[in-house]
């Protein structure tokens, strides 16, 4: 299989991946009693367009990066899971426009999802690993973590905060782009939040800057910038096809290798900017 160049990869992504979210009119949800808690419109019609955006990975290499001011200078900032800003502003900034969370975070007691103020700024977007090619009813009856019960509880407590759930089709469309561009078979687990969030922002922004997804010279085994926990698998992947995701992002990067080395910064065009 020939290796596609960066511009071709970008167009392939734009043409084959759609950021879709669950809406209140969608079966099987539309016939459930709580359907009205789901947004009436998809995320992409409510949020953006933004000019310049930042995606902040949770990597330990953000520690001592001093990137906070640069990150906050973007029009919109996406963060992941339980990654805090309080106490880490110098390195990661303080603006949160969108927070992408996996269903494990919503369900685990440690993260105090329903009560912590960590989740209260910006719009929330949740996702749950669904089995490859499962339909929505199959997934609804057997989610990985109780994403829907937690969603309903959160919505009752915070009815005004925008809160979307990604359609599992999006996860697998992204997965297929990774697989089609790799010579060997990759594990049938969904891509990490990092890549899903990057592609989400490519559909909302003119230009997307991703920080410490491709590690800089600060590369470390420290898993997260906010926790004293060391594991190289956080950067290289185990459950998620993270190494393959990073390979793809490296090929699509329009910034310099020097930007990666010094700032851990990748620059990607928004889909609307591409002439495919
Ligand atoms: O660790 P996590 O991800 O929350 O990180 C968000 C995204 O940042 C990128 N990352 C992170 C650390 C690192 N050293 N290098 C990186 O490149 C990755 O792209 C990652 O997706 C997830 O993807 O949702 C994940 O969530 C955690 C965990 O569920 C949450 O942090 C809540 O505790 C997963 N960890 C475990 O299940 C133990 C992780 O595998 C993926």
């Amino acid at each position: 299989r020939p290796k596609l160049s960066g511009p071709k990869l970008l167009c392939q992504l734009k043409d084959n991946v759609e950021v879709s979210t669950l809406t209140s009119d969608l079966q099987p949800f539309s016939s459930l009693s709580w359907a009205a808690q789901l947004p009436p419109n998809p995320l992409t019609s409510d949020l953006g367009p933004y000019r310049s955006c930042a995606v902040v990975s949770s990597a330990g290499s953000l520690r001592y990066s001093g990137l906070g001011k640069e990150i906050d200078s973007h029009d919109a900032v996406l963060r992941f899971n339980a990654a805090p800003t309080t106490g880490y502003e110098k390195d990661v900034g303080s603006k949160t426009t969108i927070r992408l969370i996996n269903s494990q975070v919503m369900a685990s007691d440690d993260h105090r999802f329903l009560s912590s103020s960590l989740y209260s700024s910006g719009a929330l977007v949740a996702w749950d690993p669904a089995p490859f090619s499962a339909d929505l009813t199959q997934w609804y009856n057997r989610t990985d973590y109780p994403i829907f019960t937690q969603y309903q509880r959160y919505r009752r407590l915070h009815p005004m905060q925008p809160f979307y759930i990604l359609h599992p089709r999006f996860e697998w469309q992204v997965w297929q782009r990774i697989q089609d561009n790799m010579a060997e078979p990759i594990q049938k687990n969904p891509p990490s939040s990092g890549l899903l969030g990057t592609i989400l922002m490519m559909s909302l922004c003119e230009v997307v800057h991703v920080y410490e997804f491709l590690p800089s010279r600060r590369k470390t085994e420290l898993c997260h910038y906010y926790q004293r926990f060391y594991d190289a698998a956080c950067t290289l992947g185990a459950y998620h096809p993270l190494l393959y995701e990073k390979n793809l992002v490296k090929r699509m990067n329009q910034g310099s290798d020097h930007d990666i080395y010094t700032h851990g910064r990748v620059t990607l065009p928004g889909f609307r900017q591409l002439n495919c």
Side-chain angles (χ1 to χ4, degrees), residues 176-219:
Q176 197 63 56
R177 286 307 97 229
I178 307 170
Q179 179 61 91
D180 284 358
N181 286 289
M182 297 300 151
E184 60 224 80
I186 65 171
Q187 64 265 50
K188 263 198 174 158
N189 297 327
S192 75
S193 297
L195 186 63
L196 297 178
T198 299
I199 294 170
L200 191 158
M201 289 311 248
M202 288 169 82
S203 351
L204 300 180
C205 311
E206 277 179 32
V207 59
V208 179
H209 298 91
V210 191
Y211 293 93
E212 293 288 2
F213 184 64
L214 302 187
S216 69
R217 62 184 171 197
R218 290 177 296 275
K219 181 175 174 174

Side-chain angles (χ1 to χ4, degrees), residues 12-274:
Q12 208 189 54
L13 208 56
K14 175 182 173 165
D15 293 342
N16 293 285
V17 175
E18 193 198 347
V19 177
S20 35
T21 53
L22 307 183
T23 46
S24 48
D25 60 351
L26 186 69
Q27 280 289 2
F29 305 100
S30 52
S31 36
L32 302 171
S33 61
W34 58 274
Q37 288 192 329
L38 287 170
N41 301 315
L43 175 149
T44 47
S45 65
D46 289 345
L47 302 182
Y50 306 110
R51 207 192 63 72
S52 169
C53 296
V55 172
V56 187
S57 91
S58 305
S61 46
L62 274 160
R63 211 62 199 272
Y64 311 120
S65 68
L67 286 168
K69 271 209 184 100
E70 173 173 330
I71 289 169
D72 277 349
S73 75
H74 297 290
D75 301 310
V77 178
L78 180 132
R79 302 182 191 276
F80 298 103
N81 296 322
T85 53
T86 310
Y88 303 93
E89 292 88 348
K90 222 170 160 289
D91 294 329
V92 302
S94 59
K95 185 190 282 186
T96 305
T97 315
I98 302 177
R99 183 174 291 272
L100 179 59
I101 54 180
N102 69 41
S103 51
Q104 187 182 23
V105 172
M106 298 170 76
S108 99
D109 293 336
D110 305 349
H111 296 299
R112 298 171 49 242
F113 174 64
L114 297 173
S115 57
S116 168
S117 63
L118 183 79
Y119 306 98
S120 60
S121 39
L124 291 174
V125 183
W127 71 280
D128 175 73
F132 185 77
S133 72
D135 64 35
L136 286 177
T137 305
Q138 280 174 326
W139 171 53
Y140 182 70
N141 290 325
R142 243 192 119 162
T143 58
D144 215 21
Y145 290 92
I147 182 171
F148 293 111
T149 44
Q150 289 298 86
Y151 179 81
Q152 291 165 60
R153 286 183 183 142
Y154 192 96
R155 293 286 288 150
R156 256 179 261 131
L157 294 168
H158 312 269
M160 300 311 284
Q161 189 179 4
F163 194 167
Y164 302 87
I165 298 177
L166 285 173
H167 193 304
R169 185 175 56 211
F170 169 63
E171 300 159 30
W172 294 112
Q173 284 175 340
V174 176
W175 183 89
Q176 197 63 56
R177 286 307 97 229
I178 307 170
Q179 179 61 91
D180 284 358
N181 286 289
M182 297 300 151
E184 60 224 80
I186 65 171
Q187 64 265 50
K188 263 198 174 158
N189 297 327
S192 75
S193 297
L195 186 63
L196 297 178
T198 299
I199 294 170
L200 191 158
M201 289 311 248
M202 288 169 82
S203 351
L204 300 180
C205 311
E206 277 179 32
V207 59
V208 179
H209 298 91
V210 191
Y211 293 93
E212 293 288 2
F213 184 64
L214 302 187
S216 69
R217 62 184 171 197
R218 290 177 296 275
K219 181 175 174 174
T220 166
E221 291 200 352
L222 181 67
C223 181
H224 296 129
Y225 66 83
Y226 53 88
Q227 262 177 343
R228 252 190 228 117
F229 168 66
Y230 293 82
D231 186 355
C234 294
T235 305
L236 304 175
Y239 170 77
H240 299 292
L242 194 56
L243 214 51
Y244 301 103
E245 299 172 22
K246 294 188 182 203
N247 177 306
L248 218 57
V249 168
K250 175 82 170 71
R251 280 156 65 188
M252 296 188 294
N253 180 28
Q254 297 192 331
S256 67
D257 286 349
H258 182 258
D259 281 356
I260 299 175
Y261 186 67
T262 57
H263 288 71
R265 182 178 64 218
V266 157
T267 305
L268 298 168
F271 289 138
R272 259 181 288 253
Q273 299 325 106
L274 294 172

